[in-house]
Amino acid sequence: MSSMTPATEEIAEKRIGMTLFIHATLLVGSSAIPEEDFLLWFPINLTIETLIIIQLLRMWKKYKYNTKQYYTIQVYWMLIGLSYFAMAPIVKVMYYTPSFWPVLIVTVLLFVYAHLIREKIAEVFVNPKKERQLRLWPVSLSILILVGILIMAIFRAQSYHPNLGIAVFLYLIGGMAVFLATPFSLSGERLEELKGESAD
């Protein structure tokens, strides 16, 4: 167990600040889609963000002498918050349509599935034999961005709901963030075990 030094405390504080900045930006943007529901969703999203920050502070207190474990947890909550704020708009846009429940159920299942396979995802990052799969992640992200931009352009041209295109784009990015986040929910000990298993 490593002791906390002033330098690592400062780094941790900067990381918390970065998480707050990213989440605050996404929180406002997510609450504004659709625009007419901003006053309803802003306090809801703010409450969720408050719970995330409380969890981060609780983990800081628990793991402040194990910075590696804390940084891992912090990345997890940063990405989970990002994915929530990115995926929520499509659910809100679909609220008054028959597509609401299918979209909501798929979203919940996506979160559950990503957590169920988190060890398999982690292996891609710690197993040198899976380097080819690791290179697919940035490629997949690039494809998602291009597809999202194309969808926004098509929806705008077809005069769908004005927020639908951006909501779909954010949903794709949020879905990617979920799968990136889940390996960071594993303990440091389990990640080391996976590294050892990959070396066998």
Side-chain angles (χ1 to χ4, degrees):
M1 183 178 293
S2 59
S3 61
M4 178 66 70
T5 66
T8 53
E9 280 194 51
E10 184 178 354
I11 293 172
E13 289 172 0
K14 287 182 178 179
R15 293 192 180 193
I16 292 176
M18 179 182 68
T19 299
L20 282 171
F21 174 77
I22 293 172
H23 282 189
T25 303
L26 292 170
L27 187 156
V28 174
S30 177
S31 301
I33 301 175
E35 297 93 337
E36 61 269 19
D37 291 336
F38 179 82
L39 293 179
L40 169 65
W41 282 98
F42 182 76
I44 294 174
N45 286 339
L46 188 60
T47 300
I48 291 172
E49 176 61 16
T50 301
L51 293 175
I52 291 175
I53 296 304
I54 290 173
Q55 178 69 2
L56 279 174
L57 293 175
R58 191 174 72 85
M59 291 296 100
W60 165 255
K61 184 176 180 180
K62 182 176 181 179
Y63 293 110
K64 65 181 180 180
Y65 296 116
N66 186 348
T67 53
K68 185 176 180 180
Q69 180 67 37
Y70 177 74
Y71 291 157
T72 301
I73 293 170
Q74 187 174 10
V75 171
Y76 170 76
W77 282 107
M78 181 182 71
L79 290 172
I80 284 295
L82 185 155
S83 62
Y84 165 76
F85 291 126
M87 299 175 81
I90 190 68
V91 178
K92 292 186 290 178
V93 168
M94 294 293 182
Y95 184 72
Y96 300 105
T97 74
S99 302
F100 170 74
W101 285 109
V103 170
L104 180 61
I105 292 171
V106 167
T107 303
V108 172
L109 291 177
L110 189 67
F111 271 82
V112 173
Y113 178 68
H115 283 81
L116 289 176
I117 64 167
R118 59 183 180 170
E119 290 196 358
K120 291 184 178 180
I121 300 173
E123 287 176 359
V124 174
F125 291 93
V126 301
N127 189 343
K129 298 176 183 178
K130 297 184 180 289
E131 184 179 352
R132 185 176 179 182
Q133 294 182 35
L134 181 60
R135 289 199 296 266
L136 292 176
W137 282 89
V139 174
S140 301
L141 180 58
S142 300
I143 292 173
L144 279 178
I145 292 174
L146 290 174
V147 169
I149 293 173
L150 179 62
I151 289 173
M152 283 195 296
I154 292 173
F155 283 175
R156 182 173 292 274
Q158 296 297 322
S159 300
Y160 284 94
H161 189 288
N163 296 135
L164 185 57
I166 185 65
V168 172
F169 175 74
L170 291 173
Y171 189 86
L172 294 175
I173 300 301
M176 184 77 168
V178 173
F179 287 94
L180 284 173
T182 54
F184 292 101
S185 65
L186 294 169
S187 67
E189 292 77 10
R190 183 52 186 155
L191 288 173
E192 290 300 323
E193 289 175 4
L194 291 174
K195 287 181 182 179
E197 292 171 7
S198 67
D200 294 338

